[in-house]
Amino acid sequence: MAARSRRAVWHPCTQMKHHERVPLLPIARARGAWLYDADGRRYLDGISSWWVNLFGHAHPAINAALAAQLDTLEHAMLAGCTHAPAVELAERLAARTDGTLGHAFFASDGASAVEIALKMSFHFWRNSGRSGKREFACVRHGYHGETLGALSVTDVPLFRDAYGPLLRQAHCVASPDARLALPGESAGDVAARALADVAALFESRGDAIAAMVVEPLVQCAAGMAMHDPAYLRGLRALCDRHGVHLIADEIAVGFGRTGTFFAHEQAGIRPDFLCLSKGITGGYLPLSVVLSRDAIHQAFYDDDVARGFLHSHSYTGNPLACRAALATLDLFDSQDALAANQRRFDALAQALAGLAAHPRVAHLRRRGAILAFDAMIDPAAGGDFARRYARHALDAGALLRPIGRTVYLMPPYILDDEEIALLAAATVQALERTLDAPAVHRPTGTRA
Ligand SMILES: *Cc1c(COP(=O)(O)O)cnc(C)c1O
């Protein structure tokens, strides 16, 4: 299977040649927090299958909702037609923002949602007679997806550099990452410094900037970089003062990942655009959505076709995906999932607390259901560390994929005490094995 996959499939985010040495993991089935390989070995899904799974694999309630939807309506186009799953989902997501954000514009994955928010913001200003507002601001080390527009506001050199000539230049402001605190500084101090950078940018370019895009509370792809909620409050105020839209990219951090349903709630603010995907369907099907304020929708509402938002994707608002999302919202409503998660992730943090004293561990940190720490190794060896750590974690029974030297846990919201203990033990065991056996580096081309 792995050999056929290497021939037939071009795997994402992968240097395919690495799979000459590192085997692909063939997954045959999954249930709850566990992935099972072709030989029946099981691995605890410590990263929620790339941050999408919320309530476990093959959840009976989501399965049943999907089966019923499959017998009713598998798909119908959302231009000119409408259907109950899309309408109900739009209404229930809007209610989750107390009605501040609505007018759900659906797409199929996260990067498309970011594209939509960027285009909508620019088009809003154009429709409002401010077509000079055509620039975007983003945060150092931020990640918003891989399509050209989303990559333009992404600051991860590994993903971006090869395509530099194709990208529109965006303004990249200082990171509020709490790890940047100087001795004696708090996370709030770092946030204040980062806000000063935004203020300076808006003073000089505010008239030309349409929107600022931010990942609230945790820049996940940056290596689980966490910041103080005060940063978001400050951004909201600066955006208001200078007439810049605030786009919250909660594609990774929405749906309870940071402890609240939406991450921006912890700052007591609302953005102008909210991008959601990943956990939205409980990890079942590709779906994304952009919610926006009434005033934005109003600027497009006109007899003139060209003033409308004419963007579309073929599978926009797919009923199966929307139904999976509704079943996922039902699980949040019926189980008080956020309160249960608080206890669950307290226990996981407790099980890992010993790492704080580990001589080769720095910045043990947590926000809600996301835990992370940095291995004290040469950052340049981060990629190699990550691959070897992932192998050792599999040997210990867990699927984990460090980002460079940052090890993180972002498991589904269903772990029981035994699974918590196993995940914590696997995390520590993989760390010890990876640090104990540093990679042997030889100049290429020589033979021992
Ligand atoms: C994953 C991610 C995206 C891109 O979503 P895709 O579905 O992979 O296109 C955008 N923004 C953030 C913050 C993400 O974590």
Side-chain angles (χ1 to χ4, degrees):
M1 174 76 89
R4 275 169 55 206
S5 191
R6 281 176 51 207
R7 277 194 299 275
V9 180
W10 200 331
H11 289 266
C13 201
T14 297
Q15 170 47 269
M16 290 295 292
K17 193 164 194 289
H18 282 155
H19 285 305
E20 285 179 6
R21 284 176 291 121
V22 183
L24 283 156
L25 181 64
I27 303 297
R29 64 192 184 86
R31 181 159 293 269
W34 296 92
L35 301 164
Y36 295 82
D37 72 11
D39 302 324
R41 269 191 301 269
R42 63 176 199 166
Y43 307 93
L44 201 152
D45 189 351
I47 55 170
S48 297
S49 290
W50 248 357
W51 320 344
V52 300
N53 193 285
L54 298 188
F55 293 102
H57 296 271
H59 192 288
I62 304 178
N63 285 8
L66 273 176
Q69 185 62 45
L70 206 47
D71 279 337
T72 314
L73 172 66
E74 87 297 343
H75 185 69
M77 64 194 285
L78 204 62
C81 304
T82 193
H83 51 72
V87 176
E88 277 176 46
L89 180 58
E91 288 174 351
R92 286 176 67 178
L93 290 174
R96 285 277 181 176
T97 70
D98 304 315
T100 307
L101 300 164
H103 312 287
F105 197 102
F106 290 106
S108 311
D109 47 51
S112 314
V114 171
E115 300 284 338
I116 287 163
L118 296 174
K119 283 177 67 179
M120 257 186 195
S121 172
F122 166 76
H123 199 166
F124 167 91
W125 292 115
R126 187 183 140 96
N127 281 354
S128 310
R130 301 282 307 276
S131 50
K133 283 169 92 66
R134 57 177 65 173
E135 297 173 6
F136 298 108
C138 59
V139 182
R140 181 77 54 214
H141 307 315
Y143 179 84
H144 300 286
E146 306 288 345
T147 55
L148 293 178
L151 203 53
S152 291
V153 289
T154 288
D155 182 45
V156 180
L158 187 61
F159 299 151
R160 200 192 139 96
D161 283 358
Y163 310 101
L166 304 182
L167 303 178
R168 256 182 123 254
Q169 208 55 46
H171 302 283
C172 205
V173 295
S175 166
D177 182 350
R179 287 175 297 179
L180 299 173
L182 303 171
E185 268 191 338
S186 67
D189 295 331
V190 182
R193 250 196 292 130
L195 285 167
D197 197 38
V198 182
L201 171 67
F202 286 6
E203 291 293 341
S204 63
R205 294 297 298 170
D207 283 347
I209 296 176
M212 155 111 203
V213 57
V214 65
E215 297 159 87
L217 298 187
V218 188
Q219 292 178 294
C220 295
M224 304 300 151
M226 302 183 183
H227 58 253
D228 194 286
Y231 181 67
L232 301 172
R233 273 192 297 282
L235 276 191
R236 179 70 274 176
L238 287 168
C239 285
D240 286 342
R241 187 168 324 140
H242 293 275
V244 172
H245 288 140
L246 182 60
I247 302 173
D249 176 352
E250 297 219 12
I251 289 164
V253 295
F255 297 93
R257 220 46 108 164
T258 67
T260 45
F261 191 78
F262 294 129
H264 67 259
E265 292 168 24
Q266 292 180 47
I269 60 139
R270 297 283 182 206
D272 301 301
F273 296 93
L274 178 59
C275 300
L276 303 170
S277 187
K278 292 207 165 108
I280 191 170
T281 60
Y284 269 65
L285 286 162
L287 178 70
S288 65
V289 65
V290 179
L291 305 181
S292 56
R293 289 179 186 259
D294 289 343
I296 288 165
H297 183 257
Q298 199 55 41
F300 291 81
Y301 200 79
D302 198 271
D303 292 323
D304 181 0
V305 176
R307 285 176 66 92
F309 191 63
L310 304 185
H311 186 104
S312 66
H313 297 286
S314 306
Y315 282 98
T316 291
N318 174 259
L320 290 166
C322 290
R323 185 56 71 193
L326 288 165
T328 301
L329 288 179
D330 288 343
L331 292 173
F332 275 104
D333 290 343
S334 67
Q335 323 182 330
D336 203 357
L338 297 178
N341 254 4
Q342 177 73 35
R343 291 188 293 279
R344 182 174 291 117
F345 285 89
D346 282 351
L348 184 57
Q350 194 57 44
L352 287 170
L355 284 176
H358 193 292
R360 312 245 342 243
V361 166
H363 302 298
L364 181 63
R365 57 196 181 275
R366 171 188 174 202
R367 175 73 71 181
I370 305 173
L371 292 92
F373 61 85
D374 302 337
M376 304 270 277
I377 55 157
D378 177 2
D384 183 63
F385 169 86
R387 282 187 291 279
R388 289 188 300 116
Y389 186 101
R391 282 313 304 170
H392 289 304
L394 285 179
D395 291 342
L399 178 69
L400 294 171
R401 253 176 85 102
I403 299 170
R405 58 180 174 157
T406 296
V407 176
Y408 71 92
L409 306 180
M410 204 195 280
Y413 304 165
I414 52 162
L415 301 193
D416 62 23
D417 291 344
E418 206 177 309
E419 290 164 338
I420 287 170
L422 189 146
L423 180 57
T427 303
V428 175
Q429 180 183 318
L431 178 70
E432 297 300 356
R433 300 238 165 118
T434 310
L435 292 175
D436 276 356
V440 181
H441 288 289
R442 292 199 185 90
T444 43
T446 62
R447 289 260 189 285

Coordinates of all heavy atoms in Angstrom, one line a residue, residues 344-417:
R344 N -10.5 17.8 31.2 CA -9.7 16.8 30.5 C -8.3 17.3 30.2 O -7.3 16.7 30.4 CB -10.5 16.5 29.2 CG -9.8 15.5 28.3 CD -10.7 15.1 27.1 NE -11.9 14.4 27.5 CZ -13.2 14.9 27.4 NH1 -13.4 16.0 26.8 NH2 -14.2 14.1 27.7
F345 N -8.3 18.6 29.7 CA -7.0 19.1 29.3 C -6.2 19.6 30.5 O -4.9 19.7 30.5 CB -7.1 20.2 28.2 CG -7.4 19.5 26.9 CD1 -8.7 19.2 26.5 CD2 -6.4 19.1 26.1 CE1 -9.0 18.6 25.3 CE2 -6.6 18.4 24.9 CZ -7.9 18.2 24.5
D346 N -6.9 19.9 31.7 CA -6.1 20.1 32.9 C -5.4 18.9 33.3 O -4.2 18.9 33.7 CB -7.1 20.5 34.1 CG -7.6 21.9 34.0 OD1 -7.1 22.7 33.2 OD2 -8.5 22.2 34.8
A347 N -6.0 17.7 33.1 CA -5.4 16.4 33.5 C -4.2 16.2 32.5 O -3.2 15.7 33.0 CB -6.5 15.3 33.4
L348 N -4.4 16.5 31.3 CA -3.3 16.2 30.3 C -2.1 17.1 30.7 O -0.9 16.7 30.7 CB -3.8 16.4 28.9 CG -2.7 16.1 27.8 CD1 -2.2 14.7 27.8 CD2 -3.4 16.4 26.4
A349 N -2.4 18.4 31.0 CA -1.3 19.3 31.4 C -0.6 18.9 32.6 O 0.6 18.9 32.7 CB -1.9 20.7 31.6
Q350 N -1.4 18.3 33.6 CA -0.9 17.8 34.8 C 0.1 16.7 34.5 O 1.2 16.6 35.1 CB -2.1 17.4 35.7 CG -1.7 17.1 37.1 CD -1.1 18.3 37.8 OE1 -1.6 19.5 37.6 NE2 0.0 18.2 38.5
A351 N -0.4 15.8 33.6 CA 0.4 14.6 33.3 C 1.8 15.0 32.6 O 2.7 14.2 32.7 CB -0.4 13.7 32.4
L352 N 1.8 16.2 32.0 CA 3.0 16.6 31.3 C 3.8 17.7 32.1 O 4.9 18.1 31.7 CB 2.7 17.2 30.0 CG 2.3 16.2 28.9 CD1 1.7 16.9 27.7 CD2 3.4 15.3 28.5
A353 N 3.3 18.0 33.3 CA 3.9 19.1 34.1 C 5.4 18.9 34.4 O 6.1 19.9 34.4 CB 3.1 19.4 35.4
G354 N 5.8 17.6 34.5 CA 7.2 17.3 34.8 C 8.1 17.8 33.8 O 9.3 18.1 34.1
L355 N 7.6 18.0 32.6 CA 8.5 18.5 31.5 C 9.1 19.9 31.7 O 10.1 20.3 31.2 CB 7.8 18.4 30.1 CG 7.6 17.1 29.5 CD1 6.8 17.2 28.2 CD2 8.9 16.4 29.1
A356 N 8.4 20.6 32.6 CA 8.8 22.0 32.8 C 10.2 22.0 33.4 O 10.9 23.0 33.2 CB 7.8 22.7 33.8
A357 N 10.6 21.0 34.1 CA 11.9 20.9 34.8 C 12.9 20.2 33.9 O 14.1 20.0 34.3 CB 11.8 20.2 36.1
H358 N 12.5 19.7 32.7 CA 13.4 18.9 31.9 C 14.5 19.9 31.3 O 14.1 21.0 30.8 CB 12.6 18.3 30.7 CG 13.3 17.3 29.9 ND1 14.4 17.6 29.1 CD2 13.1 16.0 29.8 CE1 14.8 16.5 28.5 NE2 14.1 15.5 28.9
P359 N 15.7 19.5 31.4 CA 16.8 20.4 31.0 C 16.8 20.7 29.5 O 17.4 21.7 29.1 CB 18.1 19.6 31.4 CG 17.7 18.2 31.5 CD 16.2 18.2 31.9
R360 N 16.1 19.9 28.7 CA 16.1 20.2 27.2 C 14.7 20.6 26.7 O 14.4 20.5 25.6 CB 16.6 19.0 26.5 CG 17.9 18.4 27.0 CD 19.1 18.5 26.2 NE 19.1 18.7 24.8 CZ 19.5 17.8 23.9 NH1 19.9 16.6 24.3 NH2 19.6 18.2 22.7
V361 N 13.9 21.1 27.7 CA 12.6 21.6 27.3 C 12.4 23.0 27.7 O 12.8 23.4 28.8 CB 11.5 20.7 28.0 CG1 10.1 21.4 27.8 CG2 11.4 19.3 27.4
A362 N 11.9 23.8 26.7 CA 11.6 25.3 27.0 C 10.1 25.6 26.7 O 9.6 24.9 25.8 CB 12.5 26.1 26.2
H363 N 9.6 26.6 27.3 CA 8.3 27.2 26.9 C 7.2 26.1 26.9 O 6.4 26.0 26.0 CB 8.4 27.8 25.6 CG 9.4 28.9 25.5 ND1 9.3 30.1 26.3 CD2 10.5 29.1 24.7 CE1 10.4 30.9 26.0 NE2 11.1 30.3 25.0
L364 N 7.1 25.3 28.0 CA 5.9 24.4 28.1 C 4.7 25.3 28.3 O 4.7 26.2 29.1 CB 6.1 23.5 29.4 CG 5.0 22.5 29.7 CD1 4.9 21.5 28.5 CD2 5.2 21.8 31.0
R365 N 3.7 25.2 27.4 CA 2.6 26.1 27.3 C 1.3 25.5 27.0 O 1.3 24.4 26.4 CB 3.0 27.3 26.4 CG 3.3 26.8 24.9 CD 4.0 27.9 24.1 NE 4.2 27.5 22.8 CZ 5.3 26.8 22.4 NH1 6.2 26.4 23.2 NH2 5.5 26.5 21.1
R366 N 0.3 26.2 27.3 CA -1.1 25.6 27.0 C -2.1 26.8 26.8 O -2.0 27.8 27.4 CB -1.5 24.8 28.2 CG -3.0 24.4 28.0 CD -3.5 23.7 29.3 NE -4.9 23.5 29.2 CZ -5.7 23.3 30.2 NH1 -5.2 23.3 31.4 NH2 -7.0 23.1 30.0
R367 N -2.9 26.6 25.8 CA -4.1 27.4 25.7 C -5.3 26.5 25.4 O -5.4 25.9 24.3 CB -3.9 28.5 24.5 CG -5.1 29.3 24.3 CD -5.4 30.4 25.3 NE -4.5 31.5 25.3 CZ -4.5 32.5 26.1 NH1 -5.5 32.6 27.0 NH2 -3.6 33.4 26.1
G368 N -6.2 26.3 26.4 CA -7.3 25.5 26.2 C -6.9 24.0 25.9 O -6.3 23.4 26.7
A369 N -7.2 23.6 24.7 CA -7.0 22.2 24.3 C -5.8 22.0 23.5 O -5.6 21.0 22.8 CB -8.2 21.6 23.6
I370 N -4.9 23.0 23.5 CA -3.6 22.9 22.8 C -2.4 23.0 23.8 O -2.4 24.0 24.6 CB -3.5 24.1 21.8 CG1 -4.7 24.2 20.9 CG2 -2.2 24.0 21.0 CD1 -4.7 25.4 20.0
L371 N -1.6 22.0 23.8 CA -0.4 22.0 24.6 C 0.8 21.9 23.8 O 0.8 21.2 22.7 CB -0.4 20.8 25.6 CG -1.5 20.8 26.7 CD1 -2.7 20.1 26.2 CD2 -1.0 20.2 27.9
A372 N 1.9 22.6 24.2 CA 3.1 22.6 23.4 C 4.4 22.8 24.2 O 4.3 23.4 25.3 CB 3.1 23.6 22.3
F373 N 5.5 22.4 23.7 CA 6.8 22.8 24.3 C 7.8 22.8 23.2 O 7.6 22.2 22.1 CB 7.2 21.9 25.5 CG 7.4 20.4 25.1 CD1 8.6 19.9 24.6 CD2 6.3 19.5 25.3 CE1 8.7 18.6 24.3 CE2 6.4 18.2 24.9 CZ 7.7 17.7 24.4
D374 N 9.0 23.4 23.5 CA 10.0 23.4 22.5 C 11.2 22.6 23.0 O 11.6 22.7 24.1 CB 10.5 24.9 22.2 CG 9.4 25.8 21.8 OD1 8.4 25.3 21.2 OD2 9.5 27.0 22.0
A375 N 11.7 21.8 22.1 CA 13.0 21.0 22.5 C 14.2 21.9 22.3 O 14.2 22.6 21.3 CB 13.1 19.8 21.6
M376 N 15.1 21.9 23.2 CA 16.2 22.7 23.1 C 17.3 22.1 22.2 O 18.2 21.4 22.7 CB 16.8 23.0 24.5 CG 15.8 23.5 25.5 SD 15.8 25.3 25.5 CE 17.2 25.6 26.6
I377 N 17.1 22.2 21.0 CA 18.1 21.7 20.0 C 18.4 22.8 19.0 O 17.7 23.9 19.0 CB 17.5 20.5 19.2 CG1 16.2 21.0 18.5 CG2 17.3 19.3 20.1 CD1 15.8 20.2 17.3
D378 N 19.4 22.6 18.2 CA 19.7 23.6 17.2 C 18.5 23.8 16.3 O 18.0 22.8 15.7 CB 20.9 23.1 16.4 CG 21.3 24.0 15.2 OD1 20.6 25.1 15.1 OD2 22.2 23.7 14.5
P379 N 17.9 25.0 16.2 CA 16.7 25.2 15.4 C 16.9 24.7 13.9 O 16.0 24.2 13.3 CB 16.5 26.7 15.4 CG 17.3 27.2 16.5 CD 18.4 26.2 16.8
A380 N 18.1 24.8 13.4 CA 18.4 24.4 12.1 C 18.2 22.9 11.9 O 17.9 22.4 10.8 CB 19.8 24.7 11.7
A381 N 18.2 22.1 13.0 CA 18.0 20.7 12.9 C 16.5 20.3 13.2 O 16.2 19.2 13.4 CB 18.9 20.0 14.0
G382 N 15.7 21.3 13.2 CA 14.3 21.1 13.6 C 13.5 20.1 12.7 O 12.8 19.3 13.2
G383 N 13.7 20.2 11.4 CA 13.0 19.3 10.5 C 13.4 17.8 10.8 O 12.5 16.9 10.8
D384 N 14.7 17.6 11.0 CA 15.2 16.3 11.2 C 14.6 15.8 12.6 O 14.2 14.6 12.8 CB 16.7 16.3 11.2 CG 17.3 14.9 11.5 OD1 17.0 14.0 10.6 OD2 17.9 14.7 12.5
F385 N 14.7 16.7 13.6 CA 14.1 16.4 14.9 C 12.6 15.9 14.8 O 12.2 14.9 15.3 CB 14.2 17.6 15.8 CG 13.4 17.4 17.1 CD1 14.0 16.8 18.2 CD2 12.1 17.9 17.2 CE1 13.3 16.7 19.4 CE2 11.4 17.8 18.4 CZ 12.0 17.1 19.5
A386 N 11.9 16.7 14.0 CA 10.4 16.5 13.9 C 10.2 15.1 13.3 O 9.3 14.3 13.7 CB 9.8 17.6 13.1
R387 N 10.9 14.8 12.2 CA 10.7 13.5 11.6 C 11.1 12.3 12.5 O 10.3 11.3 12.6 CB 11.5 13.4 10.3 CG 10.8 14.1 9.1 CD 11.5 13.9 7.8 NE 12.8 14.5 7.7 CZ 13.0 15.8 7.5 NH1 12.0 16.6 7.2 NH2 14.3 16.3 7.4
R388 N 12.2 12.4 13.2 CA 12.6 11.3 14.1 C 11.6 11.2 15.3 O 11.3 10.2 15.7 CB 14.0 11.5 14.6 CG 15.0 11.3 13.4 CD 16.5 11.3 13.8 NE 16.9 12.5 14.4 CZ 17.2 12.7 15.7 NH1 17.3 11.7 16.5 NH2 17.5 13.9 16.1
Y389 N 11.2 12.4 15.8 CA 10.3 12.4 16.9 C 9.0 11.7 16.5 O 8.4 10.8 17.3 CB 9.9 13.8 17.4 CG 9.1 13.9 18.6 CD1 9.6 14.1 19.9 CD2 7.7 13.6 18.5 CE1 8.9 14.1 21.0 CE2 6.9 13.6 19.7 CZ 7.5 13.9 20.9 OH 6.7 13.9 22.0
A390 N 8.5 12.0 15.3 CA 7.2 11.4 14.8 C 7.4 9.8 14.8 O 6.5 9.1 15.2 CB 6.9 11.9 13.5
R391 N 8.5 9.3 14.3 CA 8.7 7.9 14.3 C 8.7 7.3 15.7 O 8.1 6.3 16.0 CB 10.1 7.5 13.7 CG 10.2 7.6 12.2 CD 9.1 6.9 11.5 NE 8.9 5.5 11.8 CZ 7.8 4.8 11.4 NH1 6.9 5.3 10.7 NH2 7.7 3.5 11.8
H392 N 9.4 7.9 16.6 CA 9.5 7.4 18.0 C 8.1 7.5 18.7 O 7.7 6.6 19.5 CB 10.5 8.2 18.9 CG 11.9 7.9 18.5 ND1 12.4 6.6 18.5 CD2 12.9 8.7 18.1 CE1 13.7 6.6 18.1 NE2 14.0 7.9 17.9
A393 N 7.3 8.5 18.3 CA 6.0 8.6 18.9 C 5.1 7.5 18.4 O 4.3 6.9 19.2 CB 5.3 10.0 18.5
L394 N 5.2 7.2 17.1 CA 4.4 6.0 16.6 C 4.8 4.7 17.3 O 4.0 3.9 17.7 CB 4.7 5.9 15.1 CG 4.0 6.9 14.1 CD1 4.4 6.5 12.7 CD2 2.5 6.9 14.3
D395 N 6.1 4.6 17.5 CA 6.6 3.4 18.3 C 5.9 3.3 19.7 O 5.7 2.3 20.2 CB 8.1 3.3 18.4 CG 8.8 3.1 17.1 OD1 8.1 2.6 16.1 OD2 10.0 3.4 17.0
A396 N 5.7 4.5 20.2 CA 5.1 4.6 21.6 C 3.6 4.6 21.5 O 2.9 4.8 22.5 CB 5.6 5.8 22.3
G397 N 3.0 4.5 20.3 CA 1.6 4.4 20.2 C 0.8 5.7 19.9 O -0.4 5.7 20.1
A398 N 1.5 6.7 19.5 CA 0.8 8.0 19.3 C 1.2 8.6 18.0 O 2.3 8.6 17.6 CB 1.0 9.0 20.4
L399 N 0.2 9.2 17.3 CA 0.5 10.0 16.1 C 0.7 11.4 16.5 O -0.2 12.1 16.9 CB -0.7 9.9 15.1 CG -0.5 10.8 13.8 CD1 0.6 10.2 12.9 CD2 -1.8 10.9 13.0
L400 N 2.0 11.9 16.4 CA 2.4 13.2 16.7 C 3.3 13.7 15.6 O 4.0 12.9 15.0 CB 3.1 13.3 18.1 CG 2.3 12.9 19.3 CD1 3.2 12.8 20.5 CD2 1.2 13.9 19.6
R401 N 3.2 15.0 15.3 CA 4.0 15.6 14.2 C 4.5 16.9 14.6 O 3.9 17.9 14.4 CB 3.1 15.8 13.0 CG 3.2 14.8 11.8 CD 2.2 15.2 10.8 NE 2.6 16.2 9.9 CZ 3.1 16.0 8.7 NH1 3.2 14.8 8.2 NH2 3.4 17.0 7.9
P402 N 5.7 17.0 15.3 CA 6.2 18.3 15.7 C 6.3 19.2 14.5 O 6.5 18.8 13.4 CB 7.6 17.9 16.3 CG 7.5 16.5 16.7 CD 6.6 15.9 15.7
I403 N 6.3 20.5 14.9 CA 6.5 21.6 13.9 C 7.9 22.1 14.2 O 8.1 22.8 15.2 CB 5.5 22.7 14.0 CG1 4.1 22.2 13.7 CG2 5.9 23.8 13.0 CD1 3.0 23.1 14.0
G404 N 8.9 21.6 13.4 CA 10.3 21.9 13.8 C 10.6 21.4 15.1 O 10.2 20.2 15.4
R405 N 11.1 22.2 16.0 CA 11.5 21.6 17.4 C 10.3 21.8 18.3 O 10.5 21.6 19.5 CB 12.7 22.3 17.9 CG 12.6 23.8 18.0 CD 13.9 24.4 18.5 NE 14.0 25.8 18.5 CZ 14.8 26.5 19.2 NH1 15.6 25.9 20.1 NH2 14.7 27.8 19.1
T406 N 9.2 22.3 17.9 CA 8.0 22.4 18.8 C 7.2 21.1 18.7 O 6.7 20.7 17.7 CB 7.1 23.6 18.3 OG1 7.8 24.8 18.5 CG2 5.9 23.7 19.2
V407 N 7.1 20.5 19.9 CA 6.2 19.3 20.0 C 4.9 19.8 20.6 O 4.8 20.7 21.5 CB 6.8 18.3 21.0 CG1 5.9 17.2 21.3 CG2 8.2 17.8 20.6
Y408 N 3.8 19.4 20.0 CA 2.5 19.9 20.5 C 1.5 18.7 20.5 O 1.6 17.7 19.8 CB 2.0 21.0 19.6 CG 1.5 20.6 18.2 CD1 0.2 20.2 18.0 CD2 2.4 20.4 17.2 CE1 -0.3 19.8 16.8 CE2 2.0 20.0 15.9 CZ 0.7 19.7 15.7 OH 0.3 19.2 14.5
L409 N 0.5 18.9 21.3 CA -0.6 18.0 21.5 C -1.9 18.7 21.2 O -2.1 19.8 21.8 CB -0.7 17.3 22.9 CG 0.6 16.7 23.4 CD1 0.4 16.1 24.8 CD2 1.1 15.6 22.5
M410 N -2.7 18.2 20.3 CA -4.0 18.8 20.0 C -5.0 17.6 19.7 O -5.5 17.5 18.6 CB -3.9 19.7 18.8 CG -4.9 20.8 18.7 SD -5.1 21.6 17.1 CE -3.7 22.8 17.1
P411 N -5.2 16.8 20.7 CA -6.0 15.6 20.5 C -7.5 15.9 20.4 O -7.9 17.0 20.8 CB -5.7 14.7 21.7 CG -5.4 15.7 22.8 CD -4.7 16.9 22.1
P412 N -8.3 15.0 20.0 CA -9.8 15.2 20.0 C -10.3 15.3 21.5 O -9.6 15.0 22.4 CB -10.3 13.9 19.4 CG -9.2 13.1 18.8 CD -7.9 13.7 19.5
Y413 N -11.5 15.8 21.6 CA -12.1 16.2 22.9 C -12.7 15.0 23.6 O -13.8 15.2 24.2 CB -13.2 17.3 22.7 CG -12.8 18.5 22.0 CD1 -13.7 19.4 21.5 CD2 -11.4 18.9 21.8 CE1 -13.4 20.6 20.8 CE2 -11.1 20.1 21.1 CZ -12.0 20.9 20.6 OH -11.7 22.1 20.0
I414 N -12.1 13.8 23.5 CA -12.8 12.7 24.0 C -11.9 11.8 24.9 O -12.3 10.7 25.3 CB -13.4 11.8 22.9 CG1 -12.3 11.5 21.9 CG2 -14.6 12.5 22.3 CD1 -12.7 10.3 21.0
L415 N -10.7 12.2 25.1 CA -9.7 11.2 25.8 C -10.2 10.9 27.2 O -10.6 11.8 27.9 CB -8.3 11.9 25.9 CG -7.6 12.3 24.6 CD1 -6.2 12.5 24.8 CD2 -7.8 11.2 23.5
D416 N -10.1 9.6 27.5 CA -10.4 9.2 28.9 C -9.1 9.2 29.7 O -8.0 9.5 29.1 CB -11.2 7.9 29.0 CG -10.4 6.7 28.4 OD1 -9.1 6.8 28.3 OD2 -11.0 5.7 28.0
D417 N -9.2 8.9 31.0 CA -8.0 9.0 31.8 C -6.8 8.1 31.3 O -5.7 8.5 31.3 CB -8.3 8.6 33.3 CG -9.2 9.6 33.9 OD1 -9.3 10.8 33.4 OD2 -9.8 9.3 35.0

